[in-house]
């Protein structure tokens, strides 16, 4: 059944076995799994079937970082949520990502990779992926992929599969509207989680349409699946019975927020040993997945020995202009001039500019006069090694509430996030390892882009982001270390769960959607079992 | 242009060519005492492909070499040639092996962003002085 709250129904009774706030990848997956098990579900979506400014504006918020993407542009607020603009790359987290690693403070999931494996496999169907196999050995046989490193190395080659990408809203709307067990409610903004003292049991969700008309939804169990940032926000806002927010008895709510900083880490210039047969990615026409591509990742052994956080490295072809050291030096000197910074490698920069004078001229010409003249600029220059890196979970990277309010009267988010020095050091070590391995194997010469002088630019204006909002309601066995337990139930509560990437204790080095869906299926299974018991 | 940049630019324009000239004249003389210049040059040409030689030269151009460095580099080169029984036929292979060993054992450094091995640094110093 489909209800639109913007139609302002006068009388509306919303009651079910389970009430889910948020119809993105997690919420939709749980709703379908529960409905198939004959459990009644109310699925609340803050937006409509398609994008509207009215709904999207409610995602506006602030951040302490000048460079972090705006909170209303890095996610979408309508049916299907952020899957409406995801790129579709999928891979499982590695076994080591779930472990408590001595060299990564606050790491460790209360579940293991092998516990999640069967759910990852089922998640493949939801994300329209292929065979549950991410090994290069398999895909070298079943596609045209060919790895770069064949010798023994500290780097391994792993494959990422591409979803079409599945737009969860469009794809699963027919099922949701036709199922007798699902009531999909659009333009239903959850504004409060109702709980009275003594804490422990949730009695309902307060919801509002976009005209501020209020309704209530009640159920036996409640699930918050509103997205990596909003999950923390709604819990922080629900303070009737808990002064600091629901589930925040240990001041852990909103903390350990993480993203995947994307670092342009090195220019890789192939030698003659770089085999012509190397194929990094391929679109597959007649079968799922839509495509496959390999990335380089540090082996588990190397991560342990060198005490590193995880990272995956993809390489993209670039022309000489893009990889020009001279052009980079111009940027460095411009920055030094603008900010009156004394730099040590001044002579080297001058030399780089002289050596690459034609590329520097091309760069200035393109920017200032929109002219193109240098043929050399278009020539193949090498590969840009981009890394998606795991962040160290940091206590001070957190989601808080600002004093500013949205049009529903709810405090907006104020995000405190930065790439820590530990993160930067980790990235430098990964670059070091990559440069040594490719040089040792005589496959390429490598120019690090995270050398001292360039660090500021690399970690500020040149930094890219996964738009992967993780942490804030992290999973933990001990309530002192997190917000939800291993079954995703909020600590010290009987009937409220959290789904989505906000429960990740660490972010790993891969895109989170597949893990979000796998955890959602696992949560649905848990609720089905609980229902069976009762 | 602010004062800092202007000062550094002038310094570069004045000091670099002068020091390069001086160092080349002073140290080149001493190199001749250590190895036979022509012999060394010939072997270097065999050891390093043309495109790599140019890159190596560029990588270390900004360095102002100290006398001690040159002496030790030349003594390394002499002993390398002697100990490895290097000749025109095998020198490229020997050097390649040595560079690979450097990368494995991390006898390397980042120069102007590029990762280069110790052997490459030494070779580039020699290339610069024999060119």
């Amino acid at each position: 059944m489909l209800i639109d709250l913007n139609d302002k129904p006068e009388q509306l009774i919303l009651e079910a076995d389970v009430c889910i706030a948020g119809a993105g990848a997690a919420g939709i997956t749980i709703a379908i799994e529960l409905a198939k098990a004959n459990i009644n579900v109310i699925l609340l979506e803050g937006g409509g079937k398609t994008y509207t400014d009215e709904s999207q504006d409610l995602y506006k918020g602030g951040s302490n970082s000048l460079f972090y993407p705006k909170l209303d542009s890095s996610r979408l607020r309508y049916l299907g949520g952020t899957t409406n603009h995801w790129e579709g790359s999928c891979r499982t987290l590695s076994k080591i990502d779930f472990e408590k690693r001595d060299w990564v403070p606050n790491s460790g999931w209360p579940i293991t990779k092998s516990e999640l494996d069967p759910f990852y496999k089922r998640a493949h169907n939801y994300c329209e992926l292929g065979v549950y196999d991410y090994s290069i050995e398999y895909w070298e046989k079943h596609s045209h992929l060919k790895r770069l490193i064949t010798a023994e190395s500290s780097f391994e080659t792993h494959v990422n599969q591409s979803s079409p990408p599945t737009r969860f809203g469009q794809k699963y709307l027919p099922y949701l509207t036709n199922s007798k067990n699902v009531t999909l409610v659009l333009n239903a903004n959850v504004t409060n989680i109702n709980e009275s003292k003594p804490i422990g049991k949730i009695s309902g969700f307060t919801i509002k349409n976009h005209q501020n008309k209020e309704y209530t939804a009640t159920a036996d169990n409640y699930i918050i699946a509103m997205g990596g940032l909003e999950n923390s926000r709604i819990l922080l806002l629900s303070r009737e019975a808990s002064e600091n927010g629901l589930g925040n008895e240990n001041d852990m709510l909103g903390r350990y927020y993480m993203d995947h900083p994307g670092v342009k880490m090195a220019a890789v210039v192939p030698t003659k040993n770089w085999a012509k047969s190397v194929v990094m990615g391929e679109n597959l026409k007649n079968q799922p997945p839509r495509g496959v591509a390999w990335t380089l990742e540090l082996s588990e052994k190397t991560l342990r020995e060198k005490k590193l956080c995880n990272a995956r490295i993809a390489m993209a072809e670039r022309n000489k202009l893009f990889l020009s050291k001279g052009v980079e030096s111009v940027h460095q000197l411009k920055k030094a001039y603008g900010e009156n910074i004394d730099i040590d490698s001044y002579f080297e920069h001058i030399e780089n500019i002289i050596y690459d004078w034609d590329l520097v001229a091309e760069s200035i010409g393109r920017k200032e006069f929109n002219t193109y003249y240098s043929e050399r600029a278009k020539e193949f220059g090498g590969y840009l090694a981009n890394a998606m890196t795991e962040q160290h979970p940091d206590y001070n990277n957190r989601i808080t509430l600002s004093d500013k309010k949205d049009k529903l009267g709810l405090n907006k988010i104020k995000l405190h996030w930065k790439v820590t020095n530990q993160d930067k050091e980790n990235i430098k070590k990964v670059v070091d390892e990559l440069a040594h391995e490719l040089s040792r194997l005589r496959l390429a010469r490598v120019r690090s882009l995270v050398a001292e002088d360039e660090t500021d630019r690399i970690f500020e204006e040149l930094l890219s982001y996964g738009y992967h909002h993780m942490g804030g309601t992290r999973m933990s066995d001990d309530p002192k270390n997190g917000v939800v337990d291993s079954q995703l139930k909020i600590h010290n509560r009987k009937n409220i769960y959290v789904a989505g990437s906000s429960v990740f204790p660490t972010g790993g080095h891969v895109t989170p959607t597949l893990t979000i869906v796998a955890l959602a299926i696992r949560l649905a299974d848990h609720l089905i079992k609980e229902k069976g018991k009762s | 242009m602010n004062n800092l940049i202007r000062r550094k630019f002038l310094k570069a324009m004045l000091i670099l060519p002068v020091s390069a000239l001086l160092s080349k004249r002073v140290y080149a003389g001493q190199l001749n005492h250590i190895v036979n210049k022509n012999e060394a040059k010939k072997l270097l040409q065999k050891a390093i492909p043309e495109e790599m030689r140019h890159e190596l030269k560029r990588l270390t151009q900004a360095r102002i070499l100290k006398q001690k460095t040159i002496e030790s580099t030349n003594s390394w080169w002499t002993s390398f040639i002697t100990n490895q029984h290097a000749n025109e036929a095998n020198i490229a292979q020997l050097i390649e092996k040595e560079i690979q060993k450097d990368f494995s054992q991390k006898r390397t450094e980042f120069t102007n962003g590029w990762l280069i091995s110790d052997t490459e640094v030494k070779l580039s110093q020699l290339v610069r002085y024999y060119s």
Side-chain angles (χ1 to χ4, degrees), chain A residues 318-331 352-367 371-381 447, chain B residues 58:
Chain A
R318 290 290 181 265
N319 60 30
K320 283 195 168 148
L321 178 68
F322 191 93
L323 294 176
S324 161
K325 184 80 177 151
V327 174
E328 179 57 36
S329 286
V330 171
H331 286 295
N352 293 332
I353 293 167
I354 294 167
Y355 184 79
D356 275 355
W357 69 271
D358 54 341
L359 297 176
V360 171
E362 176 79 10
S363 173
I364 295 168
R366 284 189 186 188
K367 196 175 171 191
T371 55
Y372 297 74
Y373 68 91
S374 167
E375 283 304 312
R376 192 162 87 95
K378 295 181 209 158
E379 288 171 16
F380 170 70
R447 176 162 66 81
Chain B
R58 193 172 89 81

Side-chain angles (χ1 to χ4, degrees), chain A residues 136-208:
Chain A
I136 185 68
E137 290 78 12
Y138 177 88
W139 286 105
E140 275 185 337
K141 280 183 201 152
H142 294 88
S143 72
H144 293 102
L145 287 195
K146 281 280 171 275
R147 73 190 101 173
L148 169 67
I149 299 178
T150 49
E152 197 177 318
S153 166
S154 55
F155 282 90
E156 290 173 350
T157 309
H158 290 277
V159 173
N160 302 273
Q161 297 190 27
S162 294
S163 164
T166 307
R167 309 289 180 215
F168 274 62
Q170 286 169 30
K171 169 88 184 163
Y172 298 111
L173 180 64
Y175 181 89
L176 296 172
T177 46
N178 294 331
S179 170
K180 65 179 173 51
N181 292 319
V182 179
T183 305
L184 173 62
V185 190
L186 299 176
N187 295 303
N189 303 290
V190 176
T191 57
N192 192 55
I193 302 165
N194 308 334
E195 184 187 38
S196 50
K197 284 185 178 172
I199 60 165
K201 197 153 185 207
I202 305 307
S203 58
F205 283 157
T206 301
I207 48 183
K208 284 182 180 175

Side-chain angles (χ1 to χ4, degrees), chain A residues 64-297:
Chain A
N64 67 330
S65 166
L66 276 178
F67 304 102
Y68 198 74
K70 284 183 176 174
L71 303 188
D72 57 327
S73 65
S74 58
R75 49 194 181 144
L76 287 170
R77 199 176 188 279
Y78 67 98
L79 186 66
T82 303
T83 64
N84 286 302
H85 72 181
W86 76 312
E87 171 252 346
S89 173
C90 287
R91 191 160 112 59
T92 61
L93 288 165
S94 303
K95 186 170 147 267
I96 195 171
D97 293 325
F98 293 83
E99 292 176 15
K100 180 164 179 57
R101 291 160 281 166
D102 296 339
W103 63 96
V104 184
N106 306 302
S107 62
W109 290 47
I111 57 172
T112 61
K113 165 84 178 351
S114 56
E115 279 176 79
L116 204 56
D117 266 328
F119 302 103
Y120 268 135
K121 206 171 173 181
R122 285 165 63 186
H124 262 226
N125 290 332
Y126 280 97
C127 298
E128 299 173 90
L129 300 171
V131 176
Y132 184 57
D133 197 322
Y134 289 86
S135 68
I136 185 68
E137 290 78 12
Y138 177 88
W139 286 105
E140 275 185 337
K141 280 183 201 152
H142 294 88
S143 72
H144 293 102
L145 287 195
K146 281 280 171 275
R147 73 190 101 173
L148 169 67
I149 299 178
T150 49
E152 197 177 318
S153 166
S154 55
F155 282 90
E156 290 173 350
T157 309
H158 290 277
V159 173
N160 302 273
Q161 297 190 27
S162 294
S163 164
T166 307
R167 309 289 180 215
F168 274 62
Q170 286 169 30
K171 169 88 184 163
Y172 298 111
L173 180 64
Y175 181 89
L176 296 172
T177 46
N178 294 331
S179 170
K180 65 179 173 51
N181 292 319
V182 179
T183 305
L184 173 62
V185 190
L186 299 176
N187 295 303
N189 303 290
V190 176
T191 57
N192 192 55
I193 302 165
N194 308 334
E195 184 187 38
S196 50
K197 284 185 178 172
I199 60 165
K201 197 153 185 207
I202 305 307
S203 58
F205 283 157
T206 301
I207 48 183
K208 284 182 180 175
N209 65 9
H210 288 281
Q211 292 78 44
N212 257 318
K213 187 170 168 55
E214 202 170 286
Y215 302 88
T216 304
T218 55
D220 297 332
N221 285 297
Y222 298 86
I223 298 170
I224 305 290
M226 296 167 68
L229 290 161
E230 292 301 301
N231 282 350
S232 292
R233 183 186 180 201
I234 190 64
L235 291 169
L236 285 165
L237 284 164
S238 301
R239 287 174 289 202
E240 280 171 343
S242 311
E243 201 183 335
N244 299 318
L246 203 159
N248 199 19
E249 285 75 33
N250 293 297
D251 191 23
M252 294 300 284
L253 183 56
R255 293 200 182 270
Y256 298 102
Y257 175 78
M258 299 163 288
D259 201 320
H260 285 131
V263 184
K264 292 171 179 60
M265 66 197 316
V268 175
V269 182
T271 65
K272 58 179 188 237
N273 298 325
W274 185 297
K276 285 205 171 75
S277 57
V278 169
V279 177
M280 294 181 188
E282 187 190 6
N283 286 323
L284 303 174
K285 283 175 188 160
N286 301 318
Q287 53 166 328
R290 174 176 55 101
V292 282
W294 60 252
T295 50
L296 292 177
E297 298 175 17

Side-chain angles (χ1 to χ4, degrees), chain A residues 449-492:
Chain A
L449 301 178
V450 293
E452 286 309 317
D453 275 357
E454 299 174 19
T455 304
D456 285 350
R457 256 171 64 74
I458 290 292
F459 291 113
E460 288 172 4
E461 62 257 47
L462 290 183
L463 198 66
S464 61
Y465 304 86
Y467 291 11
H468 302 149
H469 308 136
M470 300 173 290
T473 66
R474 65 199 323 249
M475 214 192 292
S476 69
D477 282 329
D478 186 344
K480 284 182 187 154
N481 297 329
V483 177
V484 301
D485 65 17
S486 60
Q487 296 298 345
L488 308 185
K489 185 152 67 74
I490 296 182
H491 287 300
N492 306 318

Side-chain angles (χ1 to χ4, degrees), chain A residues 282-528:
Chain A
E282 187 190 6
N283 286 323
L284 303 174
K285 283 175 188 160
N286 301 318
Q287 53 166 328
R290 174 176 55 101
V292 282
W294 60 252
T295 50
L296 292 177
E297 298 175 17
L298 285 160
S299 69
E300 195 178 308
K301 185 170 165 255
T302 312
L303 290 170
R304 288 187 200 286
E305 277 175 10
K306 306 207 179 274
K307 299 187 182 302
L308 293 171
C309 265
N310 228 331
R312 75 172 191 182
I313 299 160
M315 291 197 220
E317 266 188 38
R318 290 290 181 265
N319 60 30
K320 283 195 168 148
L321 178 68
F322 191 93
L323 294 176
S324 161
K325 184 80 177 151
V327 174
E328 179 57 36
S329 286
V330 171
H331 286 295
Q332 291 299 315
L333 292 180
K334 202 172 150 193
K335 188 177 168 76
Y337 171 70
E339 297 175 17
N340 214 12
I341 302 166
D342 200 357
I343 47 176
D344 295 332
S345 48
Y346 180 79
F347 296 142
E348 284 172 8
H349 287 308
I350 295 290
E351 189 206 341
N352 293 332
I353 293 167
I354 294 167
Y355 184 79
D356 275 355
W357 69 271
D358 54 341
L359 297 176
V360 171
E362 176 79 10
S363 173
I364 295 168
R366 284 189 186 188
K367 196 175 171 191
E368 301 297 331
F369 311 109
N370 200 24
T371 55
Y372 297 74
Y373 68 91
S374 167
E375 283 304 312
R376 192 162 87 95
K378 295 181 209 158
E379 288 171 16
F380 170 70
Y383 295 92
L384 180 70
N386 282 303
M388 182 190 275
T389 59
E390 180 185 19
Q391 274 202 289
H392 290 79
D394 188 272
Y395 183 77
N396 294 314
N397 279 349
R398 64 185 296 208
I399 299 156
T400 61
L401 297 178
S402 88
D403 295 333
K404 291 178 187 162
K405 295 193 174 179
D406 65 20
K407 68 164 190 179
L408 297 174
L410 305 177
N411 299 73
K412 293 181 179 180
I413 286 175
K414 185 171 183 194
L415 184 67
H416 302 262
W417 181 86
K418 65 172 183 178
V419 178
T420 64
N421 288 335
Q422 258 182 317
D423 296 329
K424 291 177 187 174
E425 280 311 306
N426 188 73
I427 288 162
K428 283 181 191 169
K429 285 178 188 169
V430 175
V431 177
D432 187 85
E433 196 59 34
L434 178 76
H436 278 94
E437 276 302 273
L438 294 183
S439 303
R440 179 183 71 81
L441 298 166
R442 311 301 274 152
L443 290 169
R445 300 310 304 250
V446 179
R447 176 162 66 81
S448 167
L449 301 178
V450 293
E452 286 309 317
D453 275 357
E454 299 174 19
T455 304
D456 285 350
R457 256 171 64 74
I458 290 292
F459 291 113
E460 288 172 4
E461 62 257 47
L462 290 183
L463 198 66
S464 61
Y465 304 86
Y467 291 11
H468 302 149
H469 308 136
M470 300 173 290
T473 66
R474 65 199 323 249
M475 214 192 292
S476 69
D477 282 329
D478 186 344
K480 284 182 187 154
N481 297 329
V483 177
V484 301
D485 65 17
S486 60
Q487 296 298 345
L488 308 185
K489 185 152 67 74
I490 296 182
H491 287 300
N492 306 318
R493 302 299 191 284
K494 289 191 178 85
N495 63 339
I496 184 163
Y497 298 81
V498 180
S501 51
S502 64
V503 304
F504 292 8
T506 50
H509 59 307
V510 298
T511 50
T513 307
L514 190 67
T515 306
I516 291 172
V517 176
L519 284 171
I521 298 170
R522 182 172 169 272
L523 172 55
D525 271 18
H526 169 74
L527 290 170
I528 293 164

